[in-house]
């Protein structure tokens, strides 16, 4: 066993309602606490003093912290595209000189540019890219990362990406949760209609994902220039019939996607920058997690998702980085979550729940996002005595230690 502490504050993120607005005084704060770990799980969260005096096995390792420290559950980044090759610095420059995301995409840049680069890359070089990016996320306190395919756009190339994600997962302490985003756009070299493309993916790719156990999650980009709600229906029908969980890139530039998420009981509807009061009301009344992606708003210079309105209407808001080469190249969840908080007037509790418990719910994971007995010992430790310092520093204040499944995986000390 291992005992870590004392912490000036442990913020276990326990006992919070899964949906709706949260005030900071709803946060449980364990003062002068310790965390007892057995294997990869948390055994006890409680008073450090009491834990040191308890009858612990002789070989218990005590990791004693000096100075003020505060800890939180390891962060969960529930939406990324960190499996890619190449750069879209050129798109970024074009956008900042006045071209829109959709105009650039139509002119041959955008997602297709990354597809071209990613297809040229070997599986090994994709693995290297994922590992490099995931390791940086880990130093920022992120211990679980969802990673989408979607830059392959053929049966073979989508499988290559998903095998790369699986291989990178095996090399990393961070957990990578793969999602198939073959429905990202119709590949420009596909001979046939959008419906034909989705039919081929439904018939050939979806069953292969099951056989190869590559993912249980299917995503689609519902948007002009990508897929309409009616086009996606047969594909999602097939995915549902095979037992996949659904998630949707919804309402990024225009509405339609969140209605698809509702129709298919998606785990999450992500983006939502263009959602109106109608979509906000419907999502808030549903069990769907509304995932805000402030990194895409910052990368594209667009409005943020209406997180405040979603929470006030009773919705569950998660916050993810959307780390991708096009719309969200920064890939710093903590910075982005803090910035979303200032623009959307979110409490500390709402932002922190958005990158812990509510983000874990978006991935249907019940074993993380909270520090309590039986949960994974995924812990981010910050050198402060006051948890409010973390978001106040707007991402400039990173963890000094990160533990994943009971192992120290990052130590700045
Ligand atoms: O979530 N919106 C669609 N997909 C990604 C962007 C991917 C890209 O531009 O490469 C997103 O923003
Ligand atoms: Fe995305």
């Amino acid at each position: 066993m291992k005992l870590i502490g004392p912490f000036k504050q442990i913020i276990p993120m326990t006992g919070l309602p899964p949906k709706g607005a949260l005030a900071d005084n709803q946060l449980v704060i364990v003062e002068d606490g310790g965390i007892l770990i057995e294997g990869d799980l948390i055994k006890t969260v409680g008073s450090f003093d009491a834990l040191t005096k308890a009858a612990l096995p002789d070989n218990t390792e005590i990791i004693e912290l000096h100075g003020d420290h505060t800890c939180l559950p390891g962060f969960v980044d529930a939406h990324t595209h960190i499996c890619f090759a190449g750069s879209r610095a050129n798109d970024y420059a074009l956008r900042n000189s006045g071209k829109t995301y959709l105009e650039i995409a139509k002119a041959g840049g955008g997602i297709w540019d990354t597809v071209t680069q990613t297809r040229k890359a070997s599986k090994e070089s994709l693995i290297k890219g994922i590992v490099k990016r995931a390791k940086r996320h880990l130093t920022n306190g992120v211990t679980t990362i969802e990673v989408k395919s979607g830059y392959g756009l053929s049966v073979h190339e989508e499988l290559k990406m998903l095998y790369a994600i699986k291989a990178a997962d095996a090399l990393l302490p961070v957990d990578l949760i793969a999602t198939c985003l073959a429905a990202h756009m119709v590949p420009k070299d596909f001979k046939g209609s959008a419906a034909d493309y989705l039919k081929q993916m439904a018939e050939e790719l979806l069953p292969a994902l099951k056989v190869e156990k590559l993912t249980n999650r299917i995503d689609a980009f519902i948007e002009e220039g990508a897929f309409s709600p009616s086009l996606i229906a047969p594909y999602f029908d097939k995915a549902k019939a095979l037992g996949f969980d659904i998630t949707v890139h919804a309402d990024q530039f225009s509405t339609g996607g969140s209605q698809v998420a509702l129709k298919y009981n998606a785990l999450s509807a992500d983006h939502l920058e263009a959602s109106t009061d109608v979509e906000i009301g419907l999502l808030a009344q549903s069990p769907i997690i509304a995932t805000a992606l402030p990194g895409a708003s910052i990368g594209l210079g667009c409005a943020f998702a209406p997180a405040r309105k979603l929470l006030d209407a009773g919705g569950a808001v998660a916050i993810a980085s959307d780390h991708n080469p096009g719309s969200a190249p920064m890939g710093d969840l903590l910075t982005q979550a803090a910035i979303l908080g200032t623009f959307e007037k979110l409490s500390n509790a709402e932002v922190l729940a958005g990158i812990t418990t509510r983000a874990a719910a978006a991935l249907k994971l019940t074993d993380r996002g909270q520090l309590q007995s039986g949960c994974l010992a995924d812990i981010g430790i910050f050198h402060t005595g006051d948890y409010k310092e973390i978001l106040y520093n707007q991402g400039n204040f990173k963890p000094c230690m990160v533990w994943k499944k009971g192992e120290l995986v990052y130590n700045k000390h």
Side-chain angles (χ1 to χ4, degrees):
M1 288 214 241
K2 288 173 188 146
L3 174 61
I4 316 178
F7 294 101
K8 189 95 178 150
Q9 296 184 334
I10 298 175
I11 314 295
M13 302 304 294
T14 49
L16 295 168
K19 296 179 65 181
L22 298 170
D24 286 351
N25 64 12
Q26 287 175 269
L27 287 176
V28 171
I29 301 180
V30 180
E31 290 182 344
D32 303 313
I35 301 182
L36 187 63
I37 297 171
E38 186 170 26
D40 54 5
L41 301 180
I42 294 171
K43 191 161 168 64
T44 317
V45 175
S47 146
F48 184 74
D49 218 30
L51 283 168
T52 50
K53 289 185 185 121
L56 298 172
D58 287 347
N59 59 355
T60 303
E61 189 188 339
I62 298 187
I63 296 100
E64 194 165 351
L65 302 171
H66 302 281
D68 290 345
H69 289 87
T70 291
C71 77
L72 283 162
F75 301 139
V76 176
D77 192 343
H79 180 139
T80 83
H81 308 247
I82 61 169
C83 179
F84 65 86
S87 161
R88 299 249 293 282
N90 204 38
D91 285 14
Y92 185 77
L94 285 173
R95 275 202 307 276
N96 291 350
S97 64
K99 295 258 180 298
T100 68
Y101 184 77
L102 292 178
E103 281 167 357
I104 293 165
K106 279 186 187 143
I111 295 168
W112 183 246
D113 183 39
T114 302
V115 172
T116 310
Q117 306 285 333
T118 305
R119 285 181 177 179
K120 276 192 224 149
S122 65
K123 192 178 88 182
E124 286 62 40
S125 73
L126 290 180
I127 295 169
K128 263 195 199 154
I130 301 168
V131 167
K132 186 183 86 189
R133 294 172 198 119
K135 279 189 174 164
R136 184 167 61 77
H137 284 258
L138 184 70
T139 65
N140 294 346
V142 179
T143 49
T144 301
I145 308 174
E146 187 259 17
V147 188
K148 299 175 194 297
S149 64
Y151 295 126
L153 308 187
S154 71
V155 174
H156 175 76
E157 293 292 331
E158 285 292 304
L159 286 173
K160 181 178 92 182
M161 290 189 75
L162 289 159
Y163 280 120
I165 296 165
K166 189 174 182 171
D169 180 49
L171 294 173
L172 287 161
V174 191
D175 287 321
L176 303 184
I177 309 294
T179 302
C180 175
L181 180 57
H184 204 179
M185 66 178 276
V186 184
K188 288 183 191 260
D189 61 348
F190 185 78
K191 309 256 180 301
S193 66
D196 294 336
Y197 171 70
L198 289 177
K199 190 164 181 281
Q200 187 187 16
M201 293 300 126
E203 286 172 2
E204 296 176 29
L205 181 62
L206 297 187
L209 300 179
K210 284 279 170 194
V211 173
E212 300 293 312
K213 294 194 172 46
L214 289 171
T215 178
N216 198 36
R217 295 168 46 83
I218 302 297
D219 193 351
F221 185 20
I222 307 300
E223 191 59 60
E224 186 208 328
F227 298 96
S228 66
S230 58
L231 263 174
I232 209 68
Y235 180 71
F236 271 180
D237 285 337
K238 174 80 184 217
K240 282 295 248 192
L242 290 171
F244 285 102
D245 290 325
I246 302 288
T247 177
V248 183
H249 276 72
D251 303 356
Q252 185 179 11
F253 304 109
S254 58
T255 56
S258 52
Q259 306 272 3
V260 172
L262 286 154
K263 178 175 165 196
Y264 287 95
N265 298 319
L267 290 177
S268 71
D270 305 26
H271 273 299
L272 310 175
E273 293 89 335
S275 298
T276 70
D277 289 348
V278 175
E279 287 78 27
I280 292 169
L282 290 169
L283 285 172
Q285 283 157 32
S286 80
I288 297 173
I289 306 283
T291 302
L293 305 172
S297 303
I298 295 166
L300 298 174
C302 293
F304 289 105
R308 179 73 269 142
K309 281 188 168 184
L310 281 157
L311 288 161
D312 287 343
V317 172
I319 306 168
S321 74
D322 196 18
H323 190 185
N324 74 70
S327 60
M330 182 207 286
D332 184 332
L333 179 63
L334 189 55
T335 301
Q336 294 164 2
I339 291 171
L340 180 72
T342 62
F343 279 88
E344 281 293 304
K345 304 289 171 239
L346 308 181
S347 67
N348 278 286
E350 287 164 337
V351 173
L352 294 175
I355 55 176
T356 58
T357 47
R358 290 175 175 183
L363 300 177
K364 222 166 78 174
L365 297 171
T366 53
D367 62 351
R368 65 197 78 191
Q370 298 181 42
L371 300 174
Q372 65 179 351
S373 179
C375 280
L376 290 177
D378 293 0
I379 306 163
I381 303 177
F382 293 80
H383 210 324
T384 176
D386 177 6
Y387 81 92
K388 292 194 291 298
E389 290 286 337
I390 298 169
L391 293 177
Y392 161 69
N393 277 280
Q394 300 192 302
N396 193 32
F397 182 32
K398 303 292 192 209
C400 57
M401 266 190 195
V402 180
W403 292 73
K404 174 66 186 171
K405 292 186 178 159
E407 299 294 333
L408 180 62
V409 289
Y410 172 69
N411 188 2
K412 204 171 91 181
H413 280 131

